[in-house]
Amino acid sequence: GAKKKATCPGLGLFYTILSAFLFSVASLFLKKIEDVHSVEVSAFRCVFQMAFVLPGLIYYKTGFLGPKGKRIFLFFRGFLGSTAMVLLYYAYQVMPLADATVITFTSPVFTSLLAWIFLKEKYSLWDLLFTLFAVTGVILIARPPFLFGSRVTGIEGSYSDHLKGTIAAIASTVSAASTIVILRKVGKSVHYFLSIWYYAVIGLIGCVIALFVLNEWRLPHCGRDRVFLILIGVLGLGGQIFLTKALQIEKAGPVSIMRTMDVVFAFILQVLFLNHLPTWWTVGGALCVVASSSGTAIRKWRHSVKKAKEGEI
């Protein structure tokens, strides 16, 4: 028979870098928006997700509700995923771009911890060490006054906003890690498009309710902010597509490691377009978090390779 055409070497990693770049530029545009609440930005993002996923649901005939036994998991996946998005957008708006991005990269550590608690997956001393590294990195970025004194430098606005942004970023990371654990629990019994559909629909409903409660719903005053809103939706969607394609043709370990390029792009964009030099505390925190997430990814990758070899034997 005809041999299957070989995939271009490194294509999955290239897709990962491209995804990281698109996500980082979307975050930069979010920082540039001046008068739009993070919840409203999230609502626009959900609209773009729905517009993209709807044709896929119709084409693959997945339905809009999913299997009866999986709907509760899909609901919580949608709720936690959209909550993570809103909290992350808020963190981007009130604290330095690089700081918020670095905190999000503690997600693999929280995923391992939650998978140990809820899925009974193995949690070793190495995982504990990586968790401590991640916590150290977050502390270096948050710089609580009781450890670093009352004069905290290198932040945007007041320390109160910086602390709120840090808490929001951590909560966002935990929510994102929870969605991964839920997706592991569901497995391949639910189509990927259906998972995104729940994420977008529940997110949009939640955002609309929150905007009416907060009385924050309003169109941007200038055309530039409206363009930024559209670009955030398009770039976020593009980043998700390329990340999905990367995971389809490349092992999860190398993709997870290459995703740390998000941090590099965040530092570069912050310096070039926001005129905000990161402090050495942020750099130190970034190194701790990147080492933690990379170590976690490498261990998971080696474990999966070892398991695959044992299966072949």
Side-chain angles (χ1 to χ4, degrees):
K3 290 184 178 179
K4 186 178 178 181
K5 186 178 179 181
T7 305
C8 176
L11 184 61
L13 299 182
F14 171 74
Y15 283 155
T16 307
I17 295 174
L18 184 56
S19 168
F21 178 73
L22 294 177
F23 280 135
S24 299
V25 175
S27 304
L28 174 66
F29 287 147
L30 181 62
K31 294 287 291 182
K32 288 290 188 179
I33 291 179
E34 297 176 353
D35 199 29
V36 181
H37 198 279
S38 58
V39 178
E40 187 172 347
V41 179
S42 302
F44 275 95
R45 171 76 182 272
C46 288
V47 170
F48 273 91
Q49 297 273 35
M50 290 174 65
F52 168 74
V53 171
L54 185 59
L57 293 178
I58 296 172
Y59 178 79
Y60 289 107
K61 299 178 181 178
T62 61
F64 295 96
L65 297 177
K68 283 187 178 181
K70 306 295 182 183
R71 290 174 188 174
I72 185 66
F73 294 111
L74 287 169
F75 171 81
F76 280 110
R77 182 268 183 270
F79 175 75
L80 291 170
S82 56
T83 300
M85 174 179 61
V86 173
L87 291 171
L88 179 60
Y89 282 1
Y90 174 77
Y92 279 141
Q93 287 187 329
V94 299
M95 67 188 301
L97 179 63
D99 290 23
T101 302
V102 168
I103 292 175
T104 63
F105 271 82
T106 58
S107 181
V109 176
F110 285 114
T111 302
S112 297
L113 185 60
L114 292 174
W116 171 59
I117 295 171
F118 294 105
L119 301 181
K120 309 303 179 185
E121 293 186 5
K122 186 178 179 182
Y123 191 82
S124 66
L125 287 175
W126 279 106
D127 293 314
L128 178 61
L129 178 64
F130 294 142
T131 301
L132 294 176
F133 259 92
V135 171
T136 302
V138 172
I139 290 173
L140 290 176
I141 291 171
R143 300 192 290 283
F146 68 87
L147 288 177
F148 293 83
S150 57
R151 298 182 66 180
V152 180
T153 59
I155 62 175
E156 292 180 1
S158 65
Y159 180 75
S160 175
D161 284 341
H162 183 78
L163 184 60
K164 289 177 183 177
T166 301
I167 294 171
I170 294 171
S172 169
T173 303
V174 174
S175 296
S178 301
T179 63
I180 295 174
V181 172
I182 290 172
L183 289 173
R184 283 188 191 176
K185 177 71 175 178
V186 172
K188 296 181 179 179
S189 60
V190 175
H191 197 279
Y192 176 75
F193 276 149
L194 193 60
S195 174
I196 301 178
W197 175 254
Y198 267 81
Y199 168 88
V201 171
I202 294 174
L204 180 60
I205 294 171
C207 288
V208 170
I209 293 172
L211 287 169
F212 276 105
V213 171
L214 297 171
N215 196 26
E216 289 285 351
W217 176 264
R218 58 182 178 273
L219 285 174
H221 294 301
C222 69
R224 189 190 69 166
D225 283 351
R226 298 178 187 181
V227 173
F228 283 160
L229 272 177
I230 295 172
L231 288 175
I232 288 170
V234 172
L235 292 170
L237 183 58
Q240 195 167 50
I241 290 171
F242 280 112
L243 181 59
T244 304
K245 288 179 71 67
L247 289 168
Q248 287 175 342
I249 61 177
E250 186 61 77
K251 294 185 184 299
V255 170
S256 298
I257 296 168
M258 194 59 68
R259 279 209 66 198
T260 55
M261 286 298 296
D262 274 28
V263 176
V264 177
F265 287 133
F267 274 95
I268 294 172
L269 294 175
Q270 179 175 297
V271 172
L272 291 180
F273 298 101
L274 300 176
N275 298 318
H276 187 95
L277 287 173
T279 64
W280 286 111
W281 293 117
T282 299
V283 174
L287 291 175
C288 286
V289 171
V290 168
S292 171
S293 60
S294 298
T296 302
I298 290 170
R299 273 189 56 79
K300 296 292 183 185
W301 179 24
R302 288 182 62 185
H303 177 70
S304 64
V305 170
K306 183 180 178 181
K307 202 170 182 180
K309 287 182 178 179
E310 289 175 354
E312 289 176 1
I313 296 172

